[in-house]
Amino acid sequence: MLTAVAQAIVNGLLIGGIYSLVSIGVTLIFGVVKIVNFAQGEFVMIGMYISFFLATRFGIDPLVSLAVSMPVLFVIGMLLQHFLIRRVLALGDMPQIFLTFALSLLLMNVALLLFTANYRTVETPYSEAAIHLGGITVAVAKLIAFVVAMVLSLVLWVFLHATDLGKAMRAAAQNRDVAMLMGINPDRVFAVAVGVSLALAGAAGSLLMPFYPAYPMVGQVFVLMAFVAVVLGTLGNVTGALIASLMMGVAESLGIQFVGADSGLIVVFAMLLLTLAVRPSGLFGGWTR
Amino acid sequence: MLTVAGVSAGYGSVPAVHDVSITVGEGEAVGLLGANGAGKSTTLRAISGLVRPTGGAITFGGTAIASMPAYRITELGIAHVPEGRQVFPELTVQENLEIGAYIPAARAERRRTLDLVFTLFPVLAERRRQLAGTMSGGEQQMLALGRGLMLKPRLLMLDEPSLGLAPVVTDIAFEKIREIHAMGTAILLVEQNAGRALALVQRAYVLESGRVVLQGSSAELANNRQVQAAYLGL
């Protein structure tokens, strides 16, 4: 029993690392640009297909193709901000929701058209490997994904707190007008924020590829958890999103273990409802600490 | 140095200032007086680029700035300390100051300017690691002033620095502003407290319903019956 609980917690933490990359991206865009990106999951999907094709065509390991998926999605993010999001920022909530929701549908359907609905998997030497620790099994691919996700989160934290551009991003998130008075060009900072967010989604995609199948709707699995984590972690709070993602991973995993294989989300949403009832603003304070 | 010529500006279709003309010379301290809603803040926002003028011209050091985005105007050396302080609440005191020197020219001298600001405002040095939002109103006003100074501005525009401050704290703030001016920085001061403002500036303009209705030296305005009755409570 104790082993089963420990195993469920480990599994939850490992997948929670992936959730955190997606939710940090969502919360960063929301915190800085003040827009909810419903298409974030589709950028995970694009990251997965990039790694899938690099693996099957050129034999490149998904962990190596991280070095391709992240910069490609960073550029896509800059372009997305410049050509689409920037144009709806002054228009209010509805056009913003329609834009990113439409983008989500568009990307899923284009992927369906180009790649078909087939599940695509990549076999790596470590895909089936596992470490056994006192009765607990740790899948190597998931462990790598978790470690890289935590490292990327740490790099983002350092970027936000130790670089001028990162501080400018936090300043612009807190007060856009006054940030301009400091000489900060919000268009530039917003483009970098969306670029970084999408790069994290792309990283999540590449990290998933050794142990999770790519298919056009795959982003929905992750974006749902990400949104729960973003709300629990307090909208716009990067550290909050990270911690809440790990919690959600564990909650889901415990639910699967003890409630039923299809019931992991019941526990997650029970936690969401409980939190919203008790602390509607989320578990953590405002913008990024 | 700064010339505002016949500027109109406002929000939506309602103009808040009409045909306002003011000048600030190199190293000069100039006041902008008037009641709440007279258009003082809008005039500053038009100069710093937060509000796009609908008419007139603004030049700073010979450069036309009326159609420039705010972040470009900052690079020319205009620091705008907005009404209500508006420090970045979830950045530390030191981070707020660092962001004040974000533009490349100021960034190059950031360490030295930071030392200067900490000398001028010792309280900021003591609280450098504290989140700005957790400080008192007076301390936030010092931080807003310090953040403006980090730019090494040629012109420092201050919007109601006394707003919401206890009189003794306002005394300190005005003393600091006097010191900043003595270092050679030109000041454009918006203030409802006309007595305090006239004691600090050399010249002032009086705004009423978005128009300049009076202008003159501090002494002239302080002796003007209209000003005495309306703004000095005499």
Side-chain angles (χ1 to χ4, degrees):
Chain A
M1 176 65 188
L2 210 60
T3 316
V5 173
Q7 179 71 60
I9 290 174
V10 168
N11 288 348
L13 283 175
L14 294 184
I15 196 67
I18 295 289
Y19 295 153
S20 73
L21 286 181
V22 187
S23 65
I24 286 173
V26 170
T27 216
L28 186 64
I29 294 181
F30 181 83
V32 177
V33 191
K34 314 287 181 227
I35 186 169
V36 177
N37 183 17
F38 288 102
Q40 193 75 4
E42 280 52 65
F43 297 110
V44 177
M45 179 264 290
I46 292 174
M48 292 186 86
Y49 276 108
I50 288 175
S51 283
F52 170 74
F53 281 109
L54 288 175
T56 49
R57 296 283 161 86
F58 304 103
I60 297 171
D61 188 280
L63 292 177
V64 177
S65 60
L66 200 71
V68 178
S69 62
M70 288 188 73
V72 166
L73 277 145
F74 180 82
V75 172
I76 293 176
M78 300 260 284
L79 297 174
L80 171 66
Q81 166 62 24
H82 187 78
F83 289 105
L84 293 175
I85 296 177
R86 193 165 62 96
R87 287 162 205 275
V88 300
L89 281 185
L91 301 181
D93 293 346
M94 275 302 159
Q96 296 172 8
I97 291 170
F98 287 146
L99 173 72
T100 64
F101 197 69
L103 189 64
S104 165
L105 293 175
L106 179 76
L107 290 173
M108 277 192 280
N109 284 289
V110 168
L112 203 54
L113 195 69
L114 294 177
F115 310 136
T116 75
N118 290 342
Y119 280 36
R120 314 281 189 173
T121 55
V122 170
E123 278 301 315
T124 63
Y126 50 87
S127 284
E128 304 296 334
I131 302 167
H132 300 281
L133 282 172
I136 297 169
T137 307
V138 180
V140 169
K142 289 184 181 176
L143 181 63
I144 295 171
F146 175 79
V147 171
V148 176
M150 290 304 107
V151 169
L152 289 175
S153 304
L154 183 67
V155 169
L156 176 70
W157 195 90
V158 170
F159 165 71
L160 287 172
H161 288 83
T163 69
D164 282 315
L165 187 56
K167 288 173 201 167
M169 200 172 276
R170 290 160 62 215
Q174 290 170 35
N175 193 329
R176 185 171 174 270
D177 272 3
V178 177
M180 281 206 281
L181 292 181
M182 303 296 121
I184 295 165
N185 176 350
D187 287 339
R188 179 159 168 265
V189 167
F190 288 6
V192 174
V194 178
V196 167
S197 293
L198 264 56
L200 292 177
S206 293
L207 292 171
L208 278 168
M209 211 53 237
F211 64 92
Y212 208 93
Y215 54 97
M217 312 299 165
V218 69
Q220 299 295 305
V221 177
F222 296 96
V223 85
L224 188 63
M225 291 298 284
F227 273 111
V228 174
V230 163
V231 172
L232 281 183
T234 302
L235 284 163
N237 184 329
V238 169
T239 315
L242 170 66
I243 296 167
S245 295
L246 298 178
M247 285 168 54
M248 289 307 95
V250 171
E252 180 192 38
S253 179
L254 288 171
I256 291 171
Q257 182 75 24
F258 296 107
V259 184
D262 294 329
S263 309
L265 287 177
I266 291 179
V267 180
V268 169
F269 283 100
M271 280 181 72
L272 175 66
L273 287 178
L274 190 67
T275 309
L276 287 178
V278 180
R279 282 197 64 163
S281 62
L283 298 173
F284 304 92
W287 167 255
T288 167
R289 297 288 160 79
Chain B
M1 180 174 59
L2 174 77
T3 309
V4 176
V7 161
S8 299
Y11 309 92
S13 57
V14 189
V17 296
H18 318 263
D19 196 23
V20 164
S21 297
I22 64 174
T23 63
V24 180
E26 200 86 47
E28 200 181 11
V30 174
L32 213 49
L33 314 178
N36 213 351
K40 308 184 298 293
S41 291
T42 306
T43 305
L44 291 197
R45 291 170 67 84
I47 296 168
S48 63
L50 290 179
V51 173
R52 183 63 46 89
T54 50
I58 307 175
T59 61
F60 183 69
T63 310
I65 60 170
S67 57
M68 272 189 191
Y71 57 87
R72 294 270 302 111
I73 293 171
T74 303
E75 289 183 355
L76 297 175
I78 299 182
H80 179 175
V81 179
E83 188 174 359
R85 276 74 82 174
Q86 303 201 35
V87 296
F88 299 111
E90 302 214 13
L91 296 188
T92 64
V93 168
Q94 171 134 3
E95 286 173 332
N96 267 278
L97 293 172
E98 285 168 358
I99 282 293
Y102 183 76
I103 66 164
R107 207 181 294 185
E109 302 194 43
R110 183 146 72 190
R111 289 215 155 274
R112 215 175 323 153
T113 323
L114 198 60
D115 286 342
L116 177 81
V117 169
F118 282 155
T119 311
L120 195 58
F121 302 104
V123 64
L124 298 183
E126 286 164 27
R127 311 215 160 190
R128 61 208 294 172
R129 312 226 172 277
Q130 191 175 334
L131 289 182
T134 64
M135 295 202 302
S136 73
E139 289 162 351
Q140 289 190 22
Q141 185 61 59
M142 305 303 164
L143 178 56
L145 280 171
R147 187 181 61 181
L149 277 184
M150 289 300 294
L151 184 70
K152 305 214 86 188
R154 293 171 66 194
L155 172 64
L156 183 62
M157 302 199 299
L158 305 169
D159 196 346
E160 302 274 7
S162 72
L163 190 76
L165 299 187
V168 59
V169 183
T170 307
D171 287 343
I172 300 171
F174 270 73
E175 192 44 51
K176 299 298 181 189
I177 296 166
R178 200 184 306 277
E179 286 179 42
I180 293 164
H181 179 232
M183 289 187 262
T185 309
I187 307 262
L188 180 55
L189 174 68
V190 159
E191 191 47 72
Q192 273 195 65
N193 188 331
R196 279 189 190 276
L198 289 175
L200 191 134
V201 301
Q202 289 127 39
R203 288 191 301 118
Y205 300 84
V206 178
L207 260 67
E208 237 175 67
S209 309
R211 296 175 193 278
V212 175
V213 291
L214 266 176
Q215 54 179 297
S217 72
S218 300
E220 282 166 12
L221 290 174
N223 292 321
N224 181 297
R225 272 174 195 285
Q226 213 182 324
V227 173
Q228 285 177 346
Y231 305 109
L232 294 175
L234 297 176

